[in-house]
Amino acid sequence: MLLIPCPWCGSRDEAEFHYGGQAHVPYPEDPASLDDTQWARYLFFRANPKGPLAERWCHTDGCRRWFNAVRNTATHDILAVYKPGEPRPVIA
Amino acid sequence: MGDTADRRSPLAHTADRFAAATRASGGALRLAELPFLAQVNVRLDPKGPAADAVGLALGMTLPLEPNTVVHGGGLTAVWLGPDEWLVVGPPGSQEGLQEKVRTAIGSEHASVVDVSAQRTTLLVAGRHARDLLAHGCSLDLHPRSLGAGRCAQTTLARAQVVLVPRDAYKPGFWVLVRSSFASYLADWLLDAAAEYTAPKATASAHATSEYAMPQFAETSS
């Protein structure tokens, strides 16, 4: 069970959160100009690193706000949490 | 109410069992529903002029720090999010409350919604109140982390609740829970409270039988 630090509410049980996939996936600037391959790549293709990954989480049972977290996918360490709109912090 | 249907609170059918549990605990626990509290959900920019105007109209500042509440003028403002609050007032005051907040906001960008029927309020008080909630809540309920002036949105027995400690000196919480979950949560609370509401005779009989065990060993040897 993870203890996830919500940027607003503080550390809470993982069961209070919902996972929202990879963070910082930009919406295509001109969606109409994409062909099927490019559109599929935007919709379905995500990074799958063994190590730090920036992810979106929602504190569903608490403040119901979305935020971003950098999580090490191998160790489950939460390396940073930050509010939406803020840039991904540099992690050594 | 005249010829309209009677208004029934979500836990009207549980009142007797709450009262019985409260009596049986001998003062260690107090369980009750506080039905029909007025609840108005307010969303606005916390840094904008509307926040100050609403604060002035209600006679209190809206809490800006996460997980805090402000009491004032018979109302309680509960922090629900960085731009969202729940203003709780006495039963029947929702219309006036909305009107007051709407007037204060004027033409600013905001949302004011009457959500009085969304949640009902449970009172869990008494010296075992914290122990009882701890059976189904992962938060630290000690006053040093969840004391008066604070609140928490979390899960109690997997049901989403808002916990509001009521008093600085005596343990006691408001548990705001969605109406559709209220019956389940009431059943869960009464079940979890069994150890504090069990008749004393049963408890001592159990203890006696435990301590009687070594005597059997003595007689057999």
Side-chain angles (χ1 to χ4, degrees):
Chain A
M1 187 71 82
L2 300 180
L3 200 59
I4 301 178
C6 168
W8 286 282
C9 300
S11 287
R12 294 296 181 90
D13 201 290
E14 175 190 353
E16 293 189 10
F17 296 86
H18 270 165
Y19 182 64
Q22 186 185 347
H24 311 298
V25 178
Y27 191 72
E29 286 203 3
D30 183 11
S33 70
L34 299 189
D35 62 25
D36 286 355
T37 314
Q38 289 168 316
W39 185 244
R41 190 153 278 282
Y42 160 70
L43 281 183
F44 306 120
F45 282 64
R46 294 292 180 267
N48 186 23
K50 182 181 180 184
L53 174 68
E55 304 171 327
R56 300 192 306 151
W57 285 85
C58 182
H59 192 190
T60 317
D61 286 337
C63 58
R64 297 175 308 288
R65 294 310 184 279
W66 285 96
F67 62 93
N68 296 328
V70 180
R71 179 178 64 98
N72 186 318
T73 56
T75 63
H76 286 313
D77 286 339
I78 309 264
L79 304 168
V81 290
Y82 50 104
K83 295 173 183 177
E86 293 177 1
R88 177 182 167 160
V90 181
I91 289 160
Chain B
M1 280 270 169
D3 54 358
T4 58
D6 279 343
R7 193 180 182 198
R8 284 174 64 82
S9 70
L11 290 179
H13 62 287
T14 318
D16 294 345
R17 290 159 68 207
F18 275 164
T22 301
R23 270 197 307 279
S25 75
L29 266 184
R30 197 150 85 80
L31 295 174
E33 186 195 14
L34 308 174
F36 305 133
L37 290 187
Q39 296 165 58
V40 175
N41 187 291
V42 180
R43 297 199 64 172
L44 47 81
D45 178 5
K47 296 192 184 80
D52 296 333
V54 169
L56 270 177
L58 297 179
M60 60 164 124
T61 50
L62 292 173
L64 295 181
E65 194 193 327
N67 300 324
T68 56
V69 295
V70 172
H71 305 282
L75 302 172
T76 302
V78 182
W79 183 95
L80 291 186
D83 58 356
E84 185 175 5
W85 295 269
L86 186 71
V87 182
V88 184
S93 64
Q94 52 265 47
E95 294 297 328
L97 204 52
Q98 279 187 90
E99 194 56 44
K100 210 187 268 184
V101 175
R102 283 224 176 86
T103 313
I105 286 169
S107 59
E108 296 291 326
H109 179 67
S111 139
V112 181
V113 184
D114 175 14
V115 293
S116 305
Q118 186 192 5
R119 298 186 184 91
T120 188
T121 308
L122 283 158
L123 178 72
V124 179
R127 69 175 186 276
H128 281 308
R130 260 182 234 118
D131 303 328
L132 174 59
L133 295 180
H135 284 296
C137 179
S138 59
L139 289 187
D140 181 6
L141 302 172
H142 193 276
R144 78 179 153 243
S145 56
L146 191 69
R150 301 199 63 81
C151 67
Q153 298 173 84
T154 185
T155 53
L156 178 60
R158 308 305 300 262
Q160 204 217 336
V161 295
V162 186
L163 293 178
V164 184
R166 289 303 300 154
D167 196 313
Y169 306 105
K170 287 179 287 183
F173 295 85
W174 273 3
V175 181
L176 286 90
V177 60
R178 284 181 214 289
S179 299
S180 52
F181 281 80
S183 209
Y184 155 73
L185 195 67
D187 285 343
W188 182 87
L189 279 171
L190 286 163
D191 181 54
E195 63 181 282
Y196 312 114
T197 58
K200 288 282 184 292
T202 321
S204 60
H206 180 66
T208 316
S209 68
E210 255 182 5
Y211 287 115
M213 290 281 274
Q215 289 179 354
F216 285 108
E218 276 174 19
T219 47
S220 67
S221 60

